[in-house]
């Protein structure tokens, strides 16, 4: 007798399921295929798209990622060569299949940042620069007249510890995923790949600055004063140690003590990531602007209360995030259409800022000489207006795309199947 899985009763009544399917169907434009997901697992499709891709100066970013990844893996002492080779082969395999490439290609900068960050500990101390202990406290006093971190952390209470722990120790790690899911469902198609790549490159730049310009954080001043530092010193969980003591578990003490970048205070990537997330969410969902700005300010307070960053670190991280967002918004980020509530309602997408010359109305930009129908990828598209509708598509006849096969791109999408 053949084995069969037991059926599970659907708790949602049938009539409500019908209404839900009808609502999703009505929200989908019949002329739109830009919101669909690639389902092909044939590597030939990727090779064909790669051959047809129109290479540009923006593609130099892949060379940068390769250099950073090779450098990080070459100095890494663990895992062994077999594990490194296996991981590299697995990544190549995932990039060859269109169904997985649409997720992992935008994720490449984030993966490179993680490899770069966790292997920074293996850089020999002889090749690393001097650790600056007095610079950040001096800048703090020059700009603000006092050490704001010490002022905010002077009075410690359990309630404040928990309020600071939640953004710094939880939302910092899980927040980017939550925002990405939200943008994937409700923002314009193509938003998430731009967000993921901007997030990754911002963190790569931040780690590079931390390695070139190592500075001690506030907890170091609290423990050692302004005494010279060296790379043999361990890190500290600072205020997060109280969270471990409160819950009776080791969530942060061991990890922060063995931090790969003990002297990576400047710039603050907790601040940079929070500001970047707030800017993207404000762009996609203007009504949420007060909430996400409040979240960023909450993160700023938490980092200083827990003695992990000076205020000048937060400002530097915020400036880097603002620059990264401006570049993404000006050139690559899909424009918001306020009358759309779901990604499936979009039947065309325009990238970058609106043209300053000419008159724009509906699906057409008057006054421009031509439509630059690039390969459809969200980074090399530049600031041109990519337009897709039932009658006119930005995809060329050869369906060329390399980055275009990332999440929600219009170049490689197939027709949406009906919700059953």
């Amino acid at each position: 007798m053949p084995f069969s899985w037991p059926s599970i009763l659907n708790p949602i009544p049938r009539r409500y399921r019908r209404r839900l399917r009808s609502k999703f169907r009505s929200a989908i434009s019949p002329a739109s295929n830009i919101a669909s997901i690639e389902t092909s697992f044939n590597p030939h499709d990727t090779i064909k798209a790669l051959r047809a891709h129109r290479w540009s100066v923006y593609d130099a970013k892949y060379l940068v990622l390769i250099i950073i990844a090779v450098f990080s893996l070459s100095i890494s002492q663990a895992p062994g060569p077999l594990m490194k080779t296996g991981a590299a082969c697995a990544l190549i395999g995932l990039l060859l299949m269109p169904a997985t490439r649409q997720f992992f290609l935008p994720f490449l900068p984030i993966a490179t940042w993680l490899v770069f960050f966790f292997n920074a500990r293996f850089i020999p101390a002889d090749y690393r620069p001097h650790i600056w202990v007095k610079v950040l406290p001096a800048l703090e006093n020059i700009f603000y007249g006092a050490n704001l971190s010490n002022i905010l952390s002077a009075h410690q209470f359990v309630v404040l510890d928990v309020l600071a722990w939640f953004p710094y120790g939880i939302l910092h790690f899980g927040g980017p995923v939550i925002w990405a899911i939200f943008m994937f469902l409700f923002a314009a198609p193509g938003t998430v790949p731009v967000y993921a790549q901007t997030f990754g490159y911002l963190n790569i730049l931040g780690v590079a600055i931390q390695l070139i310009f190592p500075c001690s954080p506030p907890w170091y001043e609290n423990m050692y004063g302004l005494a010279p530092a060296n790379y043999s010193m361990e890190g500290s969980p600072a205020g997060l140690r109280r969270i471990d003591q409160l819950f009776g578990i080791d969530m942060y003490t061991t990890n922060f003590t063995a931090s790969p970048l003990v002297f990576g205070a400047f710039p603050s990537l907790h601040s940079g990531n929070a500001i970047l997330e707030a800017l993207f969410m404000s762009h996609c969902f203007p009504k949420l602007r007060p909430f996400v700005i409040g979240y960023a300010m909450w993160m700023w307070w938490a980092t200083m209360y827990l003695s992990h960053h000076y205020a000048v670190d937060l400002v530097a991280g915020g400036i880097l995030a603002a620059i990264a967002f401006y570049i993404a918004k000006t050139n690559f980020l899909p424009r918001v259409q306020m009358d759309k509530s779901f990604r499936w309602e979009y039947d065309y997408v325009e990238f970058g800022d609106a043209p300053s010359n000419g008159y724009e109305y509906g699906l057409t930009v008057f006054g421009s000489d031509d439509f630059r129908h690039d390969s459809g990828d969200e980074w090399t598209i530049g600031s041109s207006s990519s337009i897709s509708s039932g009658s006119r598509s930005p995809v060329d006849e050869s369906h060329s795309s390399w980055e275009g096969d990332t999440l929600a791109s219009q170049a490689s999408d197939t027709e949406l199947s009906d919700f059953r």
Side-chain angles (χ1 to χ4, degrees):
M1 181 178 178
F3 174 80
S4 61
W5 292 100
S7 60
I8 301 176
L9 181 64
N10 194 325
I12 304 177
R14 184 178 180 83
R15 63 179 181 275
Y16 292 114
R17 295 204 302 270
R18 271 197 222 143
R19 292 178 185 175
L20 185 61
R21 285 196 297 267
S22 176
K23 181 177 179 61
F24 274 103
R25 288 195 192 103
S26 63
I28 300 173
S29 171
S32 173
N33 69 343
I34 62 174
S36 60
I37 301 299
E38 179 63 63
T39 58
S40 171
F41 286 90
N42 188 355
H44 177 71
D45 295 337
T46 294
I47 297 174
K48 181 180 177 181
L50 184 58
R51 288 175 178 173
H53 176 65
R54 301 175 184 175
W55 297 96
S56 70
V57 66
Y58 291 108
D59 295 310
K61 64 185 179 182
Y62 293 117
L63 180 60
V64 174
L65 295 181
I66 291 173
I67 293 173
I68 294 175
V70 170
F71 167 76
S72 301
L73 294 176
S74 64
I75 64 174
S76 175
Q77 300 177 8
L82 290 179
M83 288 291 293
K84 295 177 185 177
T85 304
C89 292
L91 179 60
I92 293 174
L94 292 171
L95 292 176
L96 282 175
M97 295 182 291
T100 52
R101 186 177 79 243
Q102 62 188 337
F103 296 96
F104 283 92
L105 192 59
F107 183 72
L108 274 183
I110 299 178
T112 305
W113 156 57
L114 293 174
V115 172
F116 188 30
F117 171 75
F118 283 106
N119 289 296
R121 71 184 73 191
F122 299 118
I123 300 177
D126 295 339
Y127 295 95
R128 303 180 73 168
H130 170 74
I131 301 171
W132 300 95
V133 174
K134 301 179 180 179
V135 171
L136 297 184
L139 291 176
E140 192 87 350
N141 283 283
I142 292 173
F143 290 142
Y144 311 111
N147 189 323
L148 299 183
S149 177
N150 286 345
I151 294 175
L152 292 176
S153 61
H155 304 284
Q156 301 168 359
F157 302 96
V158 174
V159 174
L160 295 180
D161 292 343
V162 174
L163 286 176
W165 159 67
F166 193 70
Y168 192 89
I170 300 295
L171 293 181
H172 173 70
F173 302 100
V177 179
I178 296 175
W179 306 133
I181 293 174
F182 206 80
M183 285 185 277
F184 176 77
L185 294 175
F186 304 108
T191 300
V192 174
V194 178
Y195 166 68
Q197 296 197 48
T198 308
F199 185 90
Y201 288 115
L202 169 66
N203 282 273
I204 289 174
L205 178 60
V207 171
I209 295 175
Q210 291 171 354
L211 288 172
I212 296 172
F213 183 58
C215 296
S216 59
W219 60 258
Y220 180 91
E221 184 181 359
N222 296 336
M223 294 176 64
Y224 306 105
L226 298 179
N230 61 77
Y231 288 105
S232 65
M233 292 181 168
E234 295 182 335
S236 171
L240 290 175
R241 189 189 305 273
R242 300 192 296 271
I243 296 297
D244 285 354
Q245 295 172 351
L246 177 64
F247 293 106
I249 55 177
D250 185 359
M251 289 190 293
Y252 303 102
T253 300
T254 299
N255 291 328
F256 275 83
T257 300
S259 173
L261 274 175
V262 175
F263 300 102
F266 183 92
S268 169
L269 291 179
H270 275 76
S271 167
N273 292 343
I275 294 295
L276 186 70
E277 294 157 14
L279 290 172
F280 266 90
M281 291 295 290
S282 297
H283 170 79
C284 298
F285 314 103
K287 292 182 179 180
L288 295 180
R289 184 172 289 114
F291 171 78
V292 293
I293 291 177
Y295 164 72
M297 295 300 100
W298 187 17
M299 181 69 75
W300 278 33
W301 167 79
T303 58
M304 291 187 287
Y305 174 80
L306 295 172
S307 298
H308 279 273
H309 287 286
Y310 294 100
V312 67
D313 307 334
L314 307 179
V315 173
I319 291 175
L320 287 180
I323 294 173
F325 174 76
Y326 175 78
I327 295 173
K329 178 179 178 294
T330 304
N331 299 282
F332 317 118
L333 195 59
R335 299 181 207 164
V336 177
Q337 299 176 22
M338 301 308 297
D339 60 328
K340 304 294 192 298
S341 300
F342 298 92
R343 60 179 282 112
W344 297 280
E345 297 181 13
Y346 282 79
D347 55 5
Y348 71 96
V349 173
E350 297 171 294
F351 292 89
D353 283 343
S356 58
N357 57 337
Y359 301 94
E360 182 177 3
Y361 180 78
L363 302 181
T364 310
V365 179
F366 300 101
S368 57
D369 295 334
D370 57 12
F371 296 106
R372 285 180 284 174
H373 293 169
D374 206 339
S375 58
D377 61 75
E378 65 275 8
W379 282 99
T380 59
I381 200 69
S383 59
S384 61
S385 299
S386 291
I387 301 173
S388 175
S389 68
S391 58
R392 188 164 192 169
S393 171
V395 186
D396 58 7
E397 293 179 358
S398 63
H399 295 277
S400 64
S401 68
W402 169 231
E403 289 192 44
D405 287 343
T406 56
L407 260 180
S409 63
Q410 64 269 32
S412 63
D413 291 331
T414 58
E415 292 293 334
L416 277 172
S417 59
D418 198 11
F419 286 87
R420 301 289 181 186

PDB file of all heavy atoms in Angstrom, residues 20 24-25 34-35 45 47 93 105 134 136 162 164 172 191 218 241 257 288 291 294 314 318 326 341 349 361 395:
ATOM      1  N   LEU A  20     -10.290  35.722  -0.590  1.00  0.00           N
ATOM      2  CA  LEU A  20      -8.884  36.085  -0.553  1.00  0.00           C
ATOM      3  C   LEU A  20      -8.233  35.905  -1.926  1.00  0.00           C
ATOM      4  O   LEU A  20      -7.496  36.775  -2.396  1.00  0.00           O
ATOM      5  CB  LEU A  20      -8.152  35.232   0.488  1.00  0.00           C
ATOM      6  CG  LEU A  20      -6.683  35.573   0.743  1.00  0.00           C
ATOM      7  CD1 LEU A  20      -6.554  37.002   1.256  1.00  0.00           C
ATOM      8  CD2 LEU A  20      -6.086  34.598   1.745  1.00  0.00           C
ATOM      9  N   PHE A  24      -6.588  38.924  -4.413  1.00  0.00           N
ATOM     10  CA  PHE A  24      -5.257  38.921  -4.996  1.00  0.00           C
ATOM     11  C   PHE A  24      -5.329  38.988  -6.518  1.00  0.00           C
ATOM     12  O   PHE A  24      -4.533  39.668  -7.161  1.00  0.00           O
ATOM     13  CB  PHE A  24      -4.490  37.665  -4.566  1.00  0.00           C
ATOM     14  CG  PHE A  24      -3.784  37.829  -3.254  1.00  0.00           C
ATOM     15  CD1 PHE A  24      -4.286  37.265  -2.094  1.00  0.00           C
ATOM     16  CD2 PHE A  24      -2.623  38.570  -3.172  1.00  0.00           C
ATOM     17  CE1 PHE A  24      -3.645  37.425  -0.888  1.00  0.00           C
ATOM     18  CE2 PHE A  24      -1.966  38.739  -1.972  1.00  0.00           C
ATOM     19  CZ  PHE A  24      -2.475  38.164  -0.815  1.00  0.00           C
ATOM     20  N   ARG A  25      -6.300  38.269  -7.111  1.00  0.00           N
ATOM     21  CA  ARG A  25      -6.440  38.312  -8.566  1.00  0.00           C
ATOM     22  C   ARG A  25      -6.776  39.725  -9.038  1.00  0.00           C
ATOM     23  O   ARG A  25      -6.257  40.207 -10.035  1.00  0.00           O
ATOM     24  CB  ARG A  25      -7.534  37.342  -9.022  1.00  0.00           C
ATOM     25  CG  ARG A  25      -7.143  35.884  -8.925  1.00  0.00           C
ATOM     26  CD  ARG A  25      -8.119  35.031  -9.723  1.00  0.00           C
ATOM     27  NE  ARG A  25      -7.960  33.625  -9.437  1.00  0.00           N
ATOM     28  CZ  ARG A  25      -8.784  32.932  -8.664  1.00  0.00           C
ATOM     29  NH1 ARG A  25      -9.820  33.528  -8.104  1.00  0.00           N
ATOM     30  NH2 ARG A  25      -8.573  31.656  -8.459  1.00  0.00           N
ATOM     31  N   ILE A  34       6.093  42.018 -14.437  1.00  0.00           N
ATOM     32  CA  ILE A  34       7.332  42.450 -13.808  1.00  0.00           C
ATOM     33  C   ILE A  34       7.424  42.013 -12.360  1.00  0.00           C
ATOM     34  O   ILE A  34       8.502  42.075 -11.778  1.00  0.00           O
ATOM     35  CB  ILE A  34       7.482  43.988 -13.898  1.00  0.00           C
ATOM     36  CG1 ILE A  34       6.346  44.675 -13.143  1.00  0.00           C
ATOM     37  CG2 ILE A  34       7.549  44.447 -15.329  1.00  0.00           C
ATOM     38  CD1 ILE A  34       6.527  46.167 -13.067  1.00  0.00           C
ATOM     39  N   ALA A  35       6.330  41.611 -11.742  1.00  0.00           N
ATOM     40  CA  ALA A  35       6.358  41.213 -10.341  1.00  0.00           C
ATOM     41  C   ALA A  35       6.493  39.719 -10.157  1.00  0.00           C
ATOM     42  O   ALA A  35       6.498  39.235  -9.031  1.00  0.00           O
ATOM     43  CB  ALA A  35       5.078  41.698  -9.639  1.00  0.00           C
ATOM     44  N   ASP A  45      19.868  28.938 -19.221  1.00  0.00           N
ATOM     45  CA  ASP A  45      19.211  30.246 -19.246  1.00  0.00           C
ATOM     46  C   ASP A  45      20.124  31.326 -18.668  1.00  0.00           C
ATOM     47  O   ASP A  45      20.168  32.455 -19.167  1.00  0.00           O
ATOM     48  CB  ASP A  45      17.894  30.195 -18.471  1.00  0.00           C
ATOM     49  CG  ASP A  45      16.877  29.271 -19.118  1.00  0.00           C
ATOM     50  OD1 ASP A  45      16.996  29.022 -20.334  1.00  0.00           O
ATOM     51  OD2 ASP A  45      15.978  28.784 -18.399  1.00  0.00           O
ATOM     52  N   ILE A  47      23.491  31.204 -18.572  1.00  0.00           N
ATOM     53  CA  ILE A  47      24.613  31.405 -19.497  1.00  0.00           C
ATOM     54  C   ILE A  47      24.172  32.257 -20.685  1.00  0.00           C
ATOM     55  O   ILE A  47      24.897  33.156 -21.131  1.00  0.00           O
ATOM     56  CB  ILE A  47      25.163  30.049 -19.960  1.00  0.00           C
ATOM     57  CG1 ILE A  47      25.730  29.281 -18.758  1.00  0.00           C
ATOM     58  CG2 ILE A  47      26.239  30.235 -21.029  1.00  0.00           C
ATOM     59  CD1 ILE A  47      26.166  27.877 -19.076  1.00  0.00           C
ATOM     60  N   GLY A  93      26.979  27.236  -8.163  1.00  0.00           N
ATOM     61  CA  GLY A  93      25.805  26.484  -8.587  1.00  0.00           C
ATOM     62  C   GLY A  93      24.517  27.244  -8.373  1.00  0.00           C
ATOM     63  O   GLY A  93      23.619  27.228  -9.228  1.00  0.00           O
ATOM     64  N   LEU A 105      22.160  36.602  -6.153  1.00  0.00           N
ATOM     65  CA  LEU A 105      22.937  37.654  -6.802  1.00  0.00           C
ATOM     66  C   LEU A 105      22.848  38.982  -6.040  1.00  0.00           C
ATOM     67  O   LEU A 105      23.874  39.619  -5.784  1.00  0.00           O
ATOM     68  CB  LEU A 105      22.484  37.828  -8.249  1.00  0.00           C
ATOM     69  CG  LEU A 105      23.397  38.688  -9.126  1.00  0.00           C
ATOM     70  CD1 LEU A 105      24.807  38.110  -9.177  1.00  0.00           C
ATOM     71  CD2 LEU A 105      22.828  38.824 -10.527  1.00  0.00           C
ATOM     72  N   LYS A 134      42.577  58.141  21.722  1.00  0.00           N
ATOM     73  CA  LYS A 134      42.205  59.475  22.198  1.00  0.00           C
ATOM     74  C   LYS A 134      41.409  60.291  21.179  1.00  0.00           C
ATOM     75  O   LYS A 134      40.850  61.328  21.534  1.00  0.00           O
ATOM     76  CB  LYS A 134      43.469  60.259  22.586  1.00  0.00           C
ATOM     77  CG  LYS A 134      44.296  59.592  23.673  1.00  0.00           C
ATOM     78  CD  LYS A 134      45.548  60.402  23.984  1.00  0.00           C
ATOM     79  CE  LYS A 134      46.382  59.728  25.064  1.00  0.00           C
ATOM     80  NZ  LYS A 134      47.617  60.493  25.373  1.00  0.00           N
ATOM     81  N   LEU A 136      38.522  59.730  19.285  1.00  0.00           N
ATOM     82  CA  LEU A 136      37.067  59.824  19.414  1.00  0.00           C
ATOM     83  C   LEU A 136      36.633  60.566  20.673  1.00  0.00           C
ATOM     84  O   LEU A 136      35.724  61.412  20.604  1.00  0.00           O
ATOM     85  CB  LEU A 136      36.446  58.422  19.370  1.00  0.00           C
ATOM     86  CG  LEU A 136      36.642  57.655  18.056  1.00  0.00           C
ATOM     87  CD1 LEU A 136      35.898  56.322  18.102  1.00  0.00           C
ATOM     88  CD2 LEU A 136      36.170  58.478  16.866  1.00  0.00           C
ATOM     89  N   VAL A 162      16.783  46.600  29.085  1.00  0.00           N
ATOM     90  CA  VAL A 162      15.950  45.836  28.145  1.00  0.00           C
ATOM     91  C   VAL A 162      15.564  46.704  26.959  1.00  0.00           C
ATOM     92  O   VAL A 162      15.577  46.243  25.806  1.00  0.00           O
ATOM     93  CB  VAL A 162      14.703  45.292  28.865  1.00  0.00           C
ATOM     94  CG1 VAL A 162      13.749  44.620  27.869  1.00  0.00           C
ATOM     95  CG2 VAL A 162      15.103  44.307  29.955  1.00  0.00           C
ATOM     96  N   ALA A 164      17.249  49.107  25.678  1.00  0.00           N
ATOM     97  CA  ALA A 164      18.418  49.277  24.821  1.00  0.00           C
ATOM     98  C   ALA A 164      18.799  47.966  24.128  1.00  0.00           C
ATOM     99  O   ALA A 164      19.264  47.965  22.982  1.00  0.00           O
ATOM    100  CB  ALA A 164      19.595  49.792  25.639  1.00  0.00           C
ATOM    101  N   HIS A 172      18.728  44.851  15.293  1.00  0.00           N
ATOM    102  CA  HIS A 172      19.867  45.087  14.400  1.00  0.00           C
ATOM    103  C   HIS A 172      20.134  43.879  13.507  1.00  0.00           C
ATOM    104  O   HIS A 172      20.546  44.029  12.358  1.00  0.00           O
ATOM    105  CB  HIS A 172      21.108  45.410  15.222  1.00  0.00           C
ATOM    106  CG  HIS A 172      22.363  45.496  14.409  1.00  0.00           C
ATOM    107  ND1 HIS A 172      22.608  46.514  13.513  1.00  0.00           N
ATOM    108  CD2 HIS A 172      23.451  44.665  14.344  1.00  0.00           C
ATOM    109  CE1 HIS A 172      23.787  46.326  12.944  1.00  0.00           C
ATOM    110  NE2 HIS A 172      24.313  45.213  13.411  1.00  0.00           N
ATOM    111  N   THR A 191      12.736  46.737  -5.744  1.00  0.00           N
ATOM    112  CA  THR A 191      13.208  47.506  -4.589  1.00  0.00           C
ATOM    113  C   THR A 191      14.135  46.682  -3.713  1.00  0.00           C
ATOM    114  O   THR A 191      15.182  47.162  -3.264  1.00  0.00           O
ATOM    115  CB  THR A 191      12.024  48.012  -3.763  1.00  0.00           C
ATOM    116  OG1 THR A 191      11.198  48.851  -4.571  1.00  0.00           O
ATOM    117  CG2 THR A 191      12.492  48.802  -2.556  1.00  0.00           C
ATOM    118  N   PRO A 218      33.656  53.383  23.675  1.00  0.00           N
ATOM    119  CA  PRO A 218      33.523  53.931  25.034  1.00  0.00           C
ATOM    120  C   PRO A 218      33.842  52.938  26.140  1.00  0.00           C
ATOM    121  O   PRO A 218      34.384  53.326  27.184  1.00  0.00           O
ATOM    122  CB  PRO A 218      32.058  54.382  25.088  1.00  0.00           C
ATOM    123  CG  PRO A 218      31.695  54.659  23.675  1.00  0.00           C
ATOM    124  CD  PRO A 218      32.452  53.654  22.867  1.00  0.00           C
ATOM    125  N   ARG A 241      26.427  42.784  28.776  1.00  0.00           N
ATOM    126  CA  ARG A 241      26.735  41.801  29.818  1.00  0.00           C
ATOM    127  C   ARG A 241      25.597  41.739  30.840  1.00  0.00           C
ATOM    128  O   ARG A 241      25.286  40.673  31.387  1.00  0.00           O
ATOM    129  CB  ARG A 241      28.056  42.155  30.509  1.00  0.00           C
ATOM    130  CG  ARG A 241      28.551  41.063  31.460  1.00  0.00           C
ATOM    131  CD  ARG A 241      29.741  41.580  32.270  1.00  0.00           C
ATOM    132  NE  ARG A 241      30.811  42.072  31.420  1.00  0.00           N
ATOM    133  CZ  ARG A 241      31.771  41.301  30.916  1.00  0.00           C
ATOM    134  NH1 ARG A 241      31.767  39.997  31.166  1.00  0.00           N
ATOM    135  NH2 ARG A 241      32.729  41.835  30.184  1.00  0.00           N
ATOM    136  N   THR A 257      33.389  39.259  23.332  1.00  0.00           N
ATOM    137  CA  THR A 257      34.759  39.132  23.826  1.00  0.00           C
ATOM    138  C   THR A 257      35.704  38.680  22.720  1.00  0.00           C
ATOM    139  O   THR A 257      36.851  39.134  22.634  1.00  0.00           O
ATOM    140  CB  THR A 257      34.805  38.141  24.998  1.00  0.00           C
ATOM    141  OG1 THR A 257      33.967  38.627  26.062  1.00  0.00           O
ATOM    142  CG2 THR A 257      36.229  37.986  25.526  1.00  0.00           C
ATOM    143  N   LEU A 288       5.056  55.782   7.029  1.00  0.00           N
ATOM    144  CA  LEU A 288       5.797  55.159   8.124  1.00  0.00           C
ATOM    145  C   LEU A 288       7.029  55.960   8.540  1.00  0.00           C
ATOM    146  O   LEU A 288       7.780  55.519   9.405  1.00  0.00           O
ATOM    147  CB  LEU A 288       6.232  53.746   7.725  1.00  0.00           C
ATOM    148  CG  LEU A 288       5.125  52.716   7.486  1.00  0.00           C
ATOM    149  CD1 LEU A 288       5.740  51.373   7.107  1.00  0.00           C
ATOM    150  CD2 LEU A 288       4.251  52.553   8.718  1.00  0.00           C
ATOM    151  N   PHE A 291       7.671  56.543  12.263  1.00  0.00           N
ATOM    152  CA  PHE A 291       7.992  55.307  12.968  1.00  0.00           C
ATOM    153  C   PHE A 291       9.439  54.894  12.732  1.00  0.00           C
ATOM    154  O   PHE A 291      10.169  54.564  13.683  1.00  0.00           O
ATOM    155  CB  PHE A 291       7.042  54.193  12.504  1.00  0.00           C
ATOM    156  CG  PHE A 291       7.407  52.831  13.000  1.00  0.00           C
ATOM    157  CD1 PHE A 291       7.128  52.446  14.298  1.00  0.00           C
ATOM    158  CD2 PHE A 291       8.042  51.924  12.157  1.00  0.00           C
ATOM    159  CE1 PHE A 291       7.485  51.182  14.759  1.00  0.00           C
ATOM    160  CE2 PHE A 291       8.395  50.663  12.594  1.00  0.00           C
ATOM    161  CZ  PHE A 291       8.105  50.289  13.905  1.00  0.00           C
ATOM    162  N   GLY A 294      11.902  57.215  14.360  1.00  0.00           N
ATOM    163  CA  GLY A 294      11.939  56.894  15.782  1.00  0.00           C
ATOM    164  C   GLY A 294      12.776  55.660  16.068  1.00  0.00           C
ATOM    165  O   GLY A 294      13.504  55.611  17.071  1.00  0.00           O
ATOM    166  N   LEU A 314      28.133  57.482  15.537  1.00  0.00           N
ATOM    167  CA  LEU A 314      26.767  57.377  15.008  1.00  0.00           C
ATOM    168  C   LEU A 314      26.555  58.344  13.853  1.00  0.00           C
ATOM    169  O   LEU A 314      25.929  57.996  12.853  1.00  0.00           O
ATOM    170  CB  LEU A 314      25.761  57.656  16.126  1.00  0.00           C
ATOM    171  CG  LEU A 314      25.916  56.827  17.405  1.00  0.00           C
ATOM    172  CD1 LEU A 314      24.857  57.233  18.425  1.00  0.00           C
ATOM    173  CD2 LEU A 314      25.805  55.346  17.105  1.00  0.00           C
ATOM    174  N   GLY A 318      25.669  57.397  10.029  1.00  0.00           N
ATOM    175  CA  GLY A 318      24.484  57.966   9.388  1.00  0.00           C
ATOM    176  C   GLY A 318      24.824  58.685   8.091  1.00  0.00           C
ATOM    177  O   GLY A 318      24.068  58.607   7.112  1.00  0.00           O
ATOM    178  N   TYR A 326      21.381  57.937  -1.235  1.00  0.00           N
ATOM    179  CA  TYR A 326      21.242  58.933  -2.301  1.00  0.00           C
ATOM    180  C   TYR A 326      21.690  58.355  -3.648  1.00  0.00           C
ATOM    181  O   TYR A 326      21.036  58.569  -4.671  1.00  0.00           O
ATOM    182  CB  TYR A 326      22.060  60.179  -1.952  1.00  0.00           C
ATOM    183  CG  TYR A 326      22.062  61.215  -3.055  1.00  0.00           C
ATOM    184  CD1 TYR A 326      20.974  62.058  -3.254  1.00  0.00           C
ATOM    185  CD2 TYR A 326      23.161  61.327  -3.912  1.00  0.00           C
ATOM    186  CE1 TYR A 326      20.976  63.001  -4.273  1.00  0.00           C
ATOM    187  CE2 TYR A 326      23.166  62.262  -4.929  1.00  0.00           C
ATOM    188  CZ  TYR A 326      22.073  63.098  -5.105  1.00  0.00           C
ATOM    189  OH  TYR A 326      22.083  64.016  -6.123  1.00  0.00           O
ATOM    190  N   SER A 341      -0.734  49.446  -3.885  1.00  0.00           N
ATOM    191  CA  SER A 341      -0.616  48.932  -2.523  1.00  0.00           C
ATOM    192  C   SER A 341       0.229  47.665  -2.443  1.00  0.00           C
ATOM    193  O   SER A 341       0.823  47.390  -1.404  1.00  0.00           O
ATOM    194  CB  SER A 341      -2.004  48.643  -1.940  1.00  0.00           C
ATOM    195  OG  SER A 341      -2.793  49.810  -1.900  1.00  0.00           O
ATOM    196  N   VAL A 349       7.553  50.030 -14.224  1.00  0.00           N
ATOM    197  CA  VAL A 349       8.434  50.526 -13.167  1.00  0.00           C
ATOM    198  C   VAL A 349       9.424  51.497 -13.779  1.00  0.00           C
ATOM    199  O   VAL A 349       9.998  51.233 -14.843  1.00  0.00           O
ATOM    200  CB  VAL A 349       9.199  49.370 -12.474  1.00  0.00           C
ATOM    201  CG1 VAL A 349      10.233  49.935 -11.507  1.00  0.00           C
ATOM    202  CG2 VAL A 349       8.240  48.459 -11.727  1.00  0.00           C
ATOM    203  N   TYR A 361       4.412  62.195 -18.129  1.00  0.00           N
ATOM    204  CA  TYR A 361       2.997  61.969 -17.877  1.00  0.00           C
ATOM    205  C   TYR A 361       2.678  60.506 -18.186  1.00  0.00           C
ATOM    206  O   TYR A 361       2.958  60.011 -19.269  1.00  0.00           O
ATOM    207  CB  TYR A 361       2.123  62.855 -18.757  1.00  0.00           C
ATOM    208  CG  TYR A 361       0.647  62.650 -18.519  1.00  0.00           C
ATOM    209  CD1 TYR A 361       0.036  63.213 -17.410  1.00  0.00           C
ATOM    210  CD2 TYR A 361      -0.114  61.868 -19.382  1.00  0.00           C
ATOM    211  CE1 TYR A 361      -1.310  63.019 -17.178  1.00  0.00           C
ATOM    212  CE2 TYR A 361      -1.458  61.665 -19.149  1.00  0.00           C
ATOM    213  CZ  TYR A 361      -2.061  62.242 -18.041  1.00  0.00           C
ATOM    214  OH  TYR A 361      -3.380  62.042 -17.806  1.00  0.00           O
ATOM    215  N   VAL A 395      12.495  45.367 -22.156  1.00  0.00           N
ATOM    216  CA  VAL A 395      13.354  44.234 -22.436  1.00  0.00           C
ATOM    217  C   VAL A 395      13.637  44.179 -23.921  1.00  0.00           C
ATOM    218  O   VAL A 395      12.739  44.307 -24.736  1.00  0.00           O
ATOM    219  CB  VAL A 395      12.676  42.929 -21.978  1.00  0.00           C
ATOM    220  CG1 VAL A 395      13.629  41.770 -22.148  1.00  0.00           C
ATOM    221  CG2 VAL A 395      12.212  43.053 -20.543  1.00  0.00           C
TER     222      VAL A 395
END
